[in-house]
Structures are given as structure tokens and as C-alpha cells.
Amino acid sequence: QYPEMLPPEDGAQFSLSQSTLKDMLAQTVFSVSKDQTRPILTGVLFALEEGELQLVALSANRMAIRREKVAAAESAQAVIAESSLRKIIGMLSDAAEEPVRIVLGRSAAHFEIGATRIHCMYLAGEFLKYKNIMPQDQTSTVIIDREMLLRALLRASSLSQETDKKFVRMGIGPDGIKLSASSEIGYVDDMVPAELRGEPLEIAFNATFLTDILSRVSDDSLLMQCKGSEVAGIFRPMDGDAFYYLVA
């Protein structure tokens, strides 16, 4: 009665190095929804189109997108469960350039890692039209030092022992970013150098959401873009569009 391992179905096929695939998964899977009433959002969307693979993870307050060029002529879309992808992450090497062959079939995905083959069934349902929720026409752009901002956020977060309520306020102006946070045990004010292009603003974020992003990318500098204090913030690379993070 043991389940039979089905052969790969016909479908879109492409390859990525182990290190690249591990980066892509690690930089998106943390943003999946934990809401079991919307199971389609508890996985990561694999969207293959025009030779580019996009991984998209989406929840109520944040979205992560990671892009990479691949050699594939076909288009395909599929949503794979977080639990399956975390197991794949554990099998991949940070440095290995050996290719992982991926087939996005009609009802399942196949990952071939060396002599190991993993068969992942898709989550049922239609993924949200995530492109429709990407803010446009940002009025403030800030060039931030990733490491300096990450350290300041970790210091501010240490005030709160509640992992889901670590809010920090950012006052963004010509002199940089003033971080402030308070709780029943104290308060903190911190100043982080940054270059502002556009209008000054004040905005508050869940610090955990920001540290999740800043600890998973390796760029020295990032762009943070906002349109007022009531709209989600966007984090992008200085050049290109390899990743895109939205935090509400």
C-alpha cells in the first residue's frame, strides 16, 4: 500500500543551481500566510513566464517576490506548500553549483537534486492577483544601509517580549532615519544614516517583518519606498529587480 512515486509529467522544465534555488526559497517562504482558512496562501507561487521564474509568498501584512532568469520556453503557474519547500531547503547546499532540475507538471512539481527526486503535489485554488496590490507612484525613496538598519531594528525589538507586537516608528528626514520604540520595560531612540529622495515622512512597521527581510538578503544597500504613512512600504535592490518586498 506504499504510495507509488509517479514519473515526472510533461510540463515546463528548467534548472537552477542549488545555491540559487536555496536563496530564492529562503527569501520568500517566510512570508507565507499562517491562516488555514485560506490554504492557497500557505504556499509559494511558482510563476514561470517569458524565461523568468518568480516565487511569490503573500499574507495579510506582507508580500515577498524573488525573480531569476531561467532557460525555459514554456509558461506555468503552481502553488507548492510551505512544508514541502522547507524540506527542499534543508537538502540544498549554500555553495553548490550543481543544477537542480525542476518540472512543473499538470498536478505536481518534481525536483531532482543529485540522486534524489522529490514529488510535490500542488495546493488547490487560485492564487491572489498579487500584481494588483503592488503600490505605484512612491513619493519617498530612502537609500538604506542594510546592516546598520538591521542592527538598529534588533536593538529596538529587544524591548518587547511579544513577537507579534514589536512595532517601531520611523521618522525619515534629510538627516536619516530616527527609530523609536517603547514598551512597559523602557524606550529606545536610535538614528540610522540614510539618504532621502523625496518627501520626509513618519511611518510605523512591525519590526519582525523588517528584520525577516534584512536578514535574508545580502545587498549592502537597499531602496525603501513609501507613499505616505498609511501605505505599505517597499524594499527593493539598488539595481535590477531580483527581489521585491512589501510590508504593511
Side-chain angles (χ1 to χ4, degrees):
Q1 299 298 314
Y2 197 81
E4 180 182 358
M5 174 64 80
L6 300 176
E9 303 168 306
D10 293 335
Q13 303 184 27
F14 56 95
S15 296
L16 289 167
S17 69
Q18 289 194 37
S19 57
T20 299
L21 179 58
K22 187 170 186 177
D23 280 346
M24 295 184 73
L25 293 175
Q27 292 168 2
T28 51
V29 72
F30 68 91
S31 287
V32 301
S33 175
K34 306 302 180 184
D35 183 1
Q36 296 301 319
T37 65
R38 305 185 75 180
I40 191 65
L41 298 183
T42 63
V44 175
L45 172 68
F46 281 60
L48 182 63
E49 187 175 0
E50 297 181 352
E52 182 180 79
L53 174 66
Q54 291 192 39
L55 302 190
V56 184
L58 179 62
S59 59
N61 299 106
R62 56 182 173 175
M63 177 170 67
I65 302 175
R66 178 68 164 83
R67 303 179 176 96
E68 198 72 32
K69 294 293 184 183
V70 295
E74 299 181 67
S75 297
Q77 283 200 3
V79 181
I80 302 175
E82 174 194 10
S83 56
S84 298
L85 297 177
R86 289 197 180 277
K87 290 181 174 63
I88 291 173
I89 290 173
M91 300 180 62
L92 298 170
S93 168
D94 290 318
E97 294 304 313
E98 290 84 358
V100 178
R101 179 172 171 262
I102 303 170
V103 181
L104 298 179
R106 294 184 301 277
S107 59
H110 298 262
F111 296 80
E112 294 184 7
I113 307 169
T116 303
R117 190 173 76 203
I118 303 172
H119 176 93
C120 301
M121 299 298 293
Y122 298 147
L123 294 179
E126 183 178 356
F127 202 79
L128 291 184
K129 298 187 183 300
Y130 63 94
K131 294 181 181 179
N132 294 342
I133 63 175
M134 297 167 72
Q136 305 295 325
D137 303 323
Q138 307 307 305
T139 58
S140 302
T141 297
V142 189
I143 300 175
I144 60 174
D145 182 294
R146 181 189 64 84
E147 184 67 26
M148 292 183 69
L149 182 58
L150 175 59
R151 291 180 181 179
L153 287 166
L154 291 173
R155 289 193 293 269
S157 299
S158 65
L159 283 179
S160 175
Q161 297 177 353
E162 298 182 64
T163 57
D164 60 339
K165 295 182 180 179
K166 294 184 177 181
F167 286 99
V168 296
R169 179 166 292 279
M170 292 184 174
I172 304 171
D175 297 328
I177 301 174
K178 181 180 179 181
L179 286 177
S180 59
S182 62
S183 71
E184 64 279 2
I185 63 173
Y187 67 92
V188 62
D189 287 321
D190 211 336
M191 195 70 184
V192 180
E195 179 184 340
L196 172 64
R197 300 174 181 174
E199 301 176 5
L201 77 155
E202 288 198 3
I203 191 168
F205 289 111
N206 183 320
T208 301
F209 291 171
L210 300 190
T211 56
D212 281 346
I213 295 168
L214 299 177
S215 62
R216 285 173 170 82
V217 299
S218 58
D219 301 48
D220 293 331
S221 299
L222 300 177
L223 293 178
M224 182 174 73
Q225 298 177 311
C226 303
K227 185 179 181 180
S229 59
E230 303 299 325
V231 183
I234 297 169
F235 292 81
R236 312 175 66 164
M238 292 289 294
D239 299 303
D241 61 352
F243 57 82
Y244 177 104
Y245 294 101
L246 182 146
V247 180

